[in-house]
Amino acid sequence: MKRRQILQQTAFAISTFAFSRDLFAQGGMEEFRVAKGGIPPDLIKLSANENPHGPSPLAKKAMLDAVSVSNRYQWDMNGQLREQISQMTGHTKDHVTLGAGSSELLGLVSLWAAYRKGNVVASEPTFKLWMPAARKMGLDTKLVALTPDKHNDLQRMLDTMDPQTKMVYLCNPNNPTGTVSPAADLETFVKKVASDRILLLDEAYTDYFDSPSMVHLVNEYPNLIIAKTFSKIYGMAGARVGYILAHPSTIRQLNEYQAWANSGPSAVSMMGAMAAITDRDFVAYCKTQNRKAKDLLCLGFEKAGIPFIKSYTSFVYFDSKPYGKNIPELLATKNIIGARSFEQNSTWLRLSIGTVGEMEKVVGLL
Ligand SMILES: Cc1ncc(COP(=O)(O)O)c(C=O)c1O
């Protein structure tokens, strides 16, 4: 097969609709590796909403230092990290439990809900990594289409709940669309859902634009479970640290379903996370850079006549249809991967925000 044919097939494979967890994990890398016979040194990976600037210098140093204590179990360290996390939101360490990334905890909560049998209500499309396992455990999924402007349709989600609904999953800002719901609407939603069933609120991206967070409601609503991660603004996706904030009684119940609670992140990752929290300059830098790079991309989309949704995250959702050309294929010619679809038979694609320089390359190509 000629090189060009292989590349075209690769671009097609990357751009096609796929929810497989493998594809999430690889972010399109494997297909590219096969086509190119190795990862090119100039590869620009825009598939998994990773922070292109992280980890912070302080986190890197802390992680290196922690290698030497990795021979011991770090019983105290998880308490220190939970304490530090809880101070950011005015809670206690008993409001926090840690996981090896928030994915692990989304899995834990959805399996906890699945144990009660019934259904879960969630948007379509949204972040679905946890869904296949929950389905296998007996939780039916009731998916609710977004509004025409690609926002979570909170009212329709409420209308879709029935007596069998054991959990509602809401990703705010939503992945893959990047939209947020207003704080007042979210508070009403929390009150209506979490009064008698689990509301799993995924706030992986709130830090980028200070989007409304509902952490202040966890004491009032023990069914409200908020998932957060060090993988995004803190730039530590590979270190695998995430956490849940919830009422202490909820945290205790969840921990009963784990062989060893709070043991997911390694000593190296926990030390990195603790240092990352203190490095506020780095977080501010990442926010600024993300905003600049996103604005640049959106300006490029405007000039190229590509409609897009205003994003409050580190990725942008856009409609490739009016552009005419196959955008993933075009980007792959310059070793840029990541534009992919999350809706069946749809021309809407998501692209992660990279550095300003990387976005200049994308815009230059368009
Ligand atoms: C909305 C959302 N939640 C959770 C995650 C998982 O993050 P983690 O790396 O903490 O498992 C992601 C990762 O892309 C995400 O987009």
Side-chain angles (χ1 to χ4, degrees):
M1 203 184 296
K2 289 204 183 83
R3 190 171 168 271
R4 174 153 178 77
Q5 270 177 303
I6 298 174
L7 254 182
Q8 274 174 348
Q9 285 191 3
T10 303
F12 180 73
I14 293 166
S15 66
T16 42
F17 166 81
F19 279 137
S20 100
R21 283 188 282 178
D22 284 352
L23 186 68
F24 171 79
Q26 293 157 2
M29 293 280 276
E30 195 51 39
E31 294 89 336
F32 207 85
R33 201 195 314 267
V34 170
K36 291 271 191 172
I39 296 181
D42 62 344
L43 181 80
I44 297 179
K45 183 171 175 275
L46 304 174
S47 52
N49 309 335
E50 295 143 334
N51 181 340
H53 307 287
S56 90
L58 291 189
K60 279 188 212 167
K61 183 177 179 316
M63 286 195 272
L64 283 173
D65 291 347
V67 169
S68 58
V69 297
S70 293
N71 58 319
R72 304 274 180 206
Y73 293 114
Q74 296 302 326
W75 308 105
D76 301 334
M77 208 181 268
N78 85 58
Q80 286 164 20
L81 175 56
R82 282 159 53 223
E83 185 75 52
Q84 221 176 315
I85 289 168
S86 66
Q87 280 168 9
M88 289 196 287
T89 58
H91 293 89
T92 70
K93 76 175 189 337
D94 297 336
H95 288 83
V96 180
T97 194
L98 302 174
S102 60
S103 306
E104 188 193 12
L105 300 167
L106 297 179
L108 173 68
V109 176
S110 55
L111 295 184
W112 189 49
Y115 181 69
R116 303 163 188 207
K117 302 293 177 210
N119 65 58
V120 55
V121 171
S123 289
E124 166 74 349
T126 194
F127 187 70
K128 291 183 171 174
L129 192 74
W130 51 274
M131 248 182 224
R135 268 200 205 110
K136 280 221 150 103
M137 288 288 287
L139 203 63
D140 291 336
T141 33
K142 295 183 108 182
L143 299 178
V144 177
L146 302 175
T147 60
D149 61 354
K150 307 274 183 202
H151 281 68
N152 285 313
D153 194 334
L154 301 184
Q155 188 53 53
R156 274 192 66 194
M157 290 177 86
L158 290 173
D159 295 344
T160 304
M161 291 187 328
D162 63 27
Q164 289 312 308
T165 303
K166 300 292 167 20
M167 180 175 110
V168 173
Y169 169 81
L170 184 71
C171 187
N172 186 75
N174 192 36
N175 181 4
T177 52
T179 53
V180 284
S181 302
D185 295 0
L186 284 170
E187 289 207 11
T188 308
F189 191 74
V190 171
K191 282 175 195 155
K192 289 192 173 158
V193 177
S195 52
D196 57 359
R197 56 200 105 201
I198 300 166
L199 173 55
L200 177 54
L201 185 55
D202 190 335
E203 295 190 351
Y205 298 96
T206 44
D207 298 319
Y208 276 101
F209 288 84
D210 300 321
S211 303
S213 167
M214 292 294 114
V215 290
H216 59 286
L217 291 179
V218 294
N219 276 330
E220 207 178 324
Y221 295 94
N223 286 323
L224 173 62
I225 300 177
I226 298 186
K228 298 220 177 229
T229 180
F230 283 84
S231 298
K232 306 302 172 183
I233 196 85
Y234 292 108
M236 292 180 55
R240 313 304 301 131
V241 192
Y243 61 95
I244 270 177
L245 268 164
H247 191 281
S249 65
T250 307
I251 297 287
R252 268 198 307 276
Q253 287 179 67
L254 278 169
N255 288 162
E256 281 170 13
Y257 285 76
Q258 296 177 287
W260 186 4
N262 297 306
S263 66
S266 67
V268 171
S269 306
M270 286 191 285
M271 287 294 276
M274 283 192 271
I277 291 175
T278 64
D279 199 344
R280 298 325 295 174
D281 288 349
F282 177 76
V283 170
Y285 171 78
C286 292
K287 273 188 191 179
T288 312
Q289 291 302 310
N290 178 66
R291 189 182 289 258
K292 275 187 191 160
K294 186 178 69 68
D295 288 350
L296 210 146
L297 177 67
C298 292
L299 199 64
F301 279 160
E302 259 166 34
K303 285 191 181 149
I306 297 171
F308 60 91
I309 304 294
K310 184 172 170 148
S311 168
Y312 293 86
T313 60
S314 56
F315 51 85
V316 179
Y317 204 52
F318 61 96
D319 187 2
S320 60
K321 193 171 178 192
Y323 189 66
K325 290 182 206 155
N326 181 326
I327 292 181
E329 186 178 315
L330 178 70
L331 297 181
T333 60
K334 290 284 179 222
N335 293 341
I336 302 171
I337 60 166
R340 57 194 172 105
S341 171
F342 290 79
E343 293 180 79
Q344 221 146 8
N345 303 322
S346 167
T347 49
W348 284 84
L349 306 175
R350 187 196 75 184
L351 191 69
S352 302
I353 301 297
T355 61
V356 168
E358 288 170 348
M359 292 302 106
E360 275 166 356
K361 285 193 183 143
V362 171
V363 170
L365 267 170
L366 293 176

